[in-house]
Amino acid sequence: MGDLNKESITLSIPVVLIGMPGSGKTTLGQYLSQTWNLPFYDTDAVIEAREGMSVRSFFGTYGEPAFRQTETDAVKHLIEKGAAIIATGGGLPCFNANMALLLRHTYPVFLDVPLITIAHRLGPDAGLIRPLFAGKNPEEIIKALTDMHAHRLPYYQQALLSIKNPQPDEETGKLIFEEYVKYLAGQKGKILKN
């Protein structure tokens, strides 16, 4: 990663990617994981493996409040693992004081992607995959995205780093790495472990 001396700083806390559904958290997270040689975790995938069902099925069976608590439990467990790249579900920062948790124990990065790009990425089958869009037609999905974005943006904007329209590439990876290392250098001795 350029001229940064990785040996002078211990990569001690997770980088957590937050943002709207379809903002590229998983894609960028996998890229960063490979580039930085750190473990990658997707909270939705962790929940699906632990619960033995898809997020959509979990929502349908147990409801959103149970999912949000399971999501909180999952991210707490992942934070305890130390340095890693974590991609969260889009709503995770907005429930159960999770954003405060992320700010205390991780380096949260907001992937700020235009809603039109997100709508295009999600495509016409978004309701089949994403539980919050289930049963909605394309116009209703756009409306739901707009409302969701308005509600979630104040949480996302608390992230320590915000990147507009990020790509899973060297430029984005270098930017995140440089800012993360600067943060860690400034936090030596201040980072909480619980």
Side-chain angles (χ1 to χ4, degrees):
M1 279 281 128
D3 55 357
L4 291 171
N5 183 357
K6 188 174 172 181
E7 304 307 317
S8 66
I9 264 301
T10 301
L11 305 182
S12 56
I13 61 172
V15 170
V16 178
L17 305 177
I18 64 172
M20 291 289 289
S23 62
K25 299 179 297 286
T26 298
T27 303
L28 180 59
Q30 290 168 336
Y31 173 82
L32 295 176
S33 169
Q34 292 170 357
T35 304
W36 299 4
N37 197 30
L38 287 175
F40 171 72
Y41 305 103
D42 180 305
T43 57
D44 285 350
V46 167
I47 291 167
E48 288 176 344
R50 189 172 75 191
E51 299 299 327
M53 65 176 68
S54 69
V55 168
R56 183 183 161 107
S57 294
F58 190 97
F59 254 78
T61 303
Y62 301 108
E64 186 175 6
F67 175 76
R68 296 300 177 194
Q69 185 56 55
T70 301
E71 197 175 42
T72 297
D73 296 342
V75 81
K76 284 179 178 178
H77 174 74
L78 294 174
I79 289 169
E80 290 174 2
K81 292 178 177 275
I85 308 298
I86 301 172
T88 69
L92 184 137
C94 311
F95 295 89
N96 303 330
N98 287 335
M99 194 64 214
L101 175 77
L102 297 179
L103 287 166
R104 252 191 334 271
H105 303 290
T106 76
Y107 186 78
V109 177
F110 169 37
L111 307 187
D112 189 3
V113 176
L115 288 181
I116 192 71
T117 302
I118 289 172
H120 177 71
R121 287 179 183 173
L122 294 176
D125 296 329
L128 300 175
I129 301 165
R130 312 269 180 171
L132 293 177
F133 303 130
K136 291 181 170 51
N137 66 40
E139 293 80 24
E140 292 169 327
I141 289 173
I142 295 290
K143 170 82 169 96
L145 273 173
T146 303
D147 293 346
M148 184 185 293
H149 186 262
H151 169 74
R152 293 179 176 182
L153 191 58
Y155 295 95
Y156 295 157
Q157 289 176 326
Q158 295 176 49
L160 297 175
L161 178 63
S162 180
I163 302 177
K164 291 220 178 268
N165 220 8
Q167 301 300 313
D169 61 16
E170 185 176 348
E171 181 181 343
T172 301
K174 183 176 181 186
L175 171 65
I176 294 171
F177 187 79
E178 288 174 351
E179 294 301 317
Y180 173 60
V181 169
K182 285 181 202 173
Y183 173 78
L184 291 176
Q187 293 297 311
K188 275 190 175 178
K190 295 182 193 174
I191 297 172
L192 302 175
K193 293 296 181 186
N194 348 356

